[in-house]
Amino acid sequence: MYSSAIKKTSADMYSSANVTRATSANKCVHSSARSMYSVARDDAAASSPHTRSTYRRPTVSFTHPHFDGLVPRTATPRPSHASSAYKVSWHNKLLNGPEDLTPIQWNVAKGRVATIHLLKARNGALFVGKEITCEKNPMAINVFLTRECEATRLVYQRAGTVPDNIVSVYGVADVGSKKLLIMEKIDGPSGMSLLQTLRTLPVSDDEKFNLIKFTIRSLLVAAGDLMRAGIVHCDLTPPNFMYSKSGTVKVIDFGAWTLTGGPPASGTPGYEAPESRPHLVATTVAQPTPVRYGPVRYRGGGSYETRLMAPPCMDEKSDIFSIGMILYNLLGEIELKSDLGEALFNKMTKVDRADRFGIKDCLNHNFFINVSKDLALKTLEEMRRQVPTKN
């Protein structure tokens, strides 16, 4: 009896389950039929000439636990990467600059002391802003920027205009929450790009040699502008000059400048003059011996001892030494040997400043005979293809 009761109960449950499935299937069929009929009716109503202008098909709404809370892509506009324009508050204004600037790209370039930002004026002109990042004290930042602005002000006043081979500095200004030194944007490669790509440029050695002569002569002209203004750059290196779109060499970064006859200012090792740091001069000795004021330096096959030099000061010949080191490094990147170039380099890098060439002596040297600016511009165009610049 017990087993038969269980069998009967199981049969009843099975039959009721079948009835439930059949009922659900019928409901689904009827529901599908109703939805198909409603869609057909909606299409007929939409195509009716009487309701075509006012009829709107009802939207189908549904909910699903995986899609609840999601927003369709077309409902929210894509975020804009364009920054709003900032009103420029000028502090030390040298040239007529823009009244508002829009940041195009922050942190375009970053160095040990400063970071460069790309800015755009309302008329579409591009500028760069130099932000001092090695200091957090607002007073120290203001001293850094004001000091660099003062160097270019002295040059502009002495020349009566902005010299061709000097960067255009507009002044110090507040742009948003940043205090920046506003300068022109130079659309061209830097001297470091020249040094890195000169060996692999697909041009002849004569064209490379002509570009070297054109660059060194332009740097000497810029050093002459600084000399007449009574200042010394103190840090003329390949990263601190650039080529404009027209091929003009522009000297930038006056962060280490000093007055002519002023105290020594250290520059970049390998390019700074012997009188720059730390007031030392080299003298030949027979054997390397321990010295009190510094280590023993080796140059060529000889041994050199360092000792204190007095009185230490800087003048235009300190920049001549740096330009001579640029010439030496550039000549080392080409296979063409130049006796005139080596002779000029030796005169520009004399340890004793009394024996070192001045700016006029360098410009009158036979090394600069037959310098072609047109050929240099052609070589620069080829270099731009090798090193694309950031816009």
Side-chain angles (χ1 to χ4, degrees):
M1 292 176 63
Y2 183 71
S3 60
S4 62
I6 291 177
K7 291 179 180 179
K8 184 178 180 180
T9 303
S10 300
D12 293 341
M13 292 175 61
Y14 181 77
S15 62
S16 63
N18 289 337
V19 173
T20 303
R21 289 195 191 96
T23 305
S24 301
N26 291 335
K27 288 182 178 180
C28 292
V29 171
H30 292 309
S31 176
S32 300
R34 282 197 301 269
S35 60
M36 292 174 61
Y37 174 75
S38 62
V39 171
R41 183 182 60 191
D42 294 340
D43 292 338
S47 60
S48 175
H50 302 289
T51 59
R52 186 176 300 167
S53 59
T54 59
Y55 178 79
R56 295 293 184 270
R57 176 179 293 181
T59 56
V60 180
S61 61
F62 65 94
T63 58
H64 193 280
H66 295 291
F67 301 111
D68 288 345
L70 297 182
V71 181
R73 291 185 61 184
T74 56
T76 305
R78 298 181 64 184
S80 175
H81 297 283
S83 303
S84 58
Y86 291 104
K87 187 71 176 178
V88 178
S89 177
W90 293 97
H91 297 286
N92 298 306
K93 193 172 184 179
L94 302 180
L95 305 174
N96 291 326
E99 297 301 326
D100 53 61
L101 287 170
T102 302
I104 300 298
Q105 184 180 353
W106 299 112
N107 304 327
V108 175
K110 189 172 183 179
R112 181 174 53 89
V113 176
T115 300
I116 301 299
H117 309 297
L118 181 60
L119 310 169
K120 185 177 182 179
R122 183 178 300 177
N123 60 358
L126 295 178
F127 299 85
V128 294
K130 181 178 181 179
E131 178 188 10
I132 302 299
T133 53
C134 66
E135 287 285 348
K136 300 299 182 183
N137 188 345
M139 294 184 63
I141 293 174
N142 187 63
V143 169
F144 266 95
L145 296 178
T146 303
R147 185 175 182 276
E148 188 165 351
C149 188
E150 179 66 14
T152 52
R153 185 187 67 82
L154 292 174
V155 177
Y156 299 167
Q157 283 185 349
R158 180 64 179 83
T161 183
V162 179
D164 293 338
N165 298 111
I166 305 296
V167 64
S168 295
V169 176
Y170 292 84
V172 180
D174 290 330
V175 180
S177 60
K178 300 180 182 294
K179 186 179 290 292
L180 305 176
L181 182 72
I182 308 299
M183 300 175 287
E184 66 170 321
K185 182 184 182 299
I186 304 175
D187 295 318
S190 66
M192 182 57 72
S193 300
L194 173 65
L195 187 61
Q196 293 173 345
T197 62
L198 186 60
R199 186 182 296 271
T200 59
L201 278 180
V203 297
S204 65
D205 283 342
D206 290 335
E207 292 176 281
K208 296 177 183 178
F209 188 59
N210 180 78
L211 179 58
I212 292 174
K213 294 193 292 183
F214 172 77
T215 301
I216 298 301
R217 188 180 67 175
S218 300
L219 291 175
L220 289 170
V221 172
D225 294 329
L226 302 182
M227 178 193 67
R228 286 185 286 273
I231 69 172
V232 185
H233 189 281
C234 299
D235 197 21
L236 284 175
T237 59
N240 286 342
F241 69 89
M242 299 183 69
Y243 298 93
S244 68
K245 193 173 184 179
S246 61
T248 304
V249 177
K250 298 275 189 178
V251 173
I252 62 175
D253 195 354
F254 288 81
W257 75 279
T258 187
L259 291 172
T260 301
S266 60
T268 301
Y271 292 92
E272 61 184 358
E275 60 268 17
S276 296
R277 180 178 42 169
H279 314 172
L280 299 175
V281 68
T283 57
T284 305
V285 294
Q287 295 292 333
T289 57
V291 293
R292 181 178 180 183
Y293 297 108
V296 174
R297 294 182 179 178
Y298 298 90
R299 183 176 181 181
S303 303
Y304 292 84
E305 180 184 353
T306 56
R307 61 184 178 85
L308 187 65
M309 179 182 69
C313 63
M314 305 287 286
D315 59 12
E316 70 277 4
K317 290 188 176 182
S318 301
D319 285 342
I320 292 296
F321 185 95
S322 300
I323 299 174
M325 294 307 301
I326 295 174
L327 171 63
Y328 174 78
N329 286 305
L330 291 177
L331 289 176
E333 294 298 317
I334 62 175
E335 297 180 359
L336 184 65
K337 301 300 180 182
S338 172
D339 294 335
L340 289 175
E342 292 181 2
L344 178 60
F345 158 73
N346 291 328
K347 288 292 186 179
M348 295 174 71
T349 56
K350 291 290 186 181
V351 174
D352 191 348
R353 282 183 300 173
D355 299 331
R356 197 179 304 165
F357 263 10
I359 295 177
K360 187 175 181 180
D361 297 327
C362 293
L363 290 174
N364 292 332
H365 197 270
N366 291 334
F367 176 73
F368 297 108
I369 294 178
N370 299 326
V371 179
S372 174
K373 182 177 180 180
D374 294 335
L375 185 59
L377 296 180
K378 180 182 176 182
T379 310
L380 283 173
E381 286 297 328
E382 188 62 37
M383 188 171 71
R384 286 191 181 94
R385 299 188 190 100
Q386 301 288 326
V387 186
T389 57
K390 297 180 180 178
N391 293 323

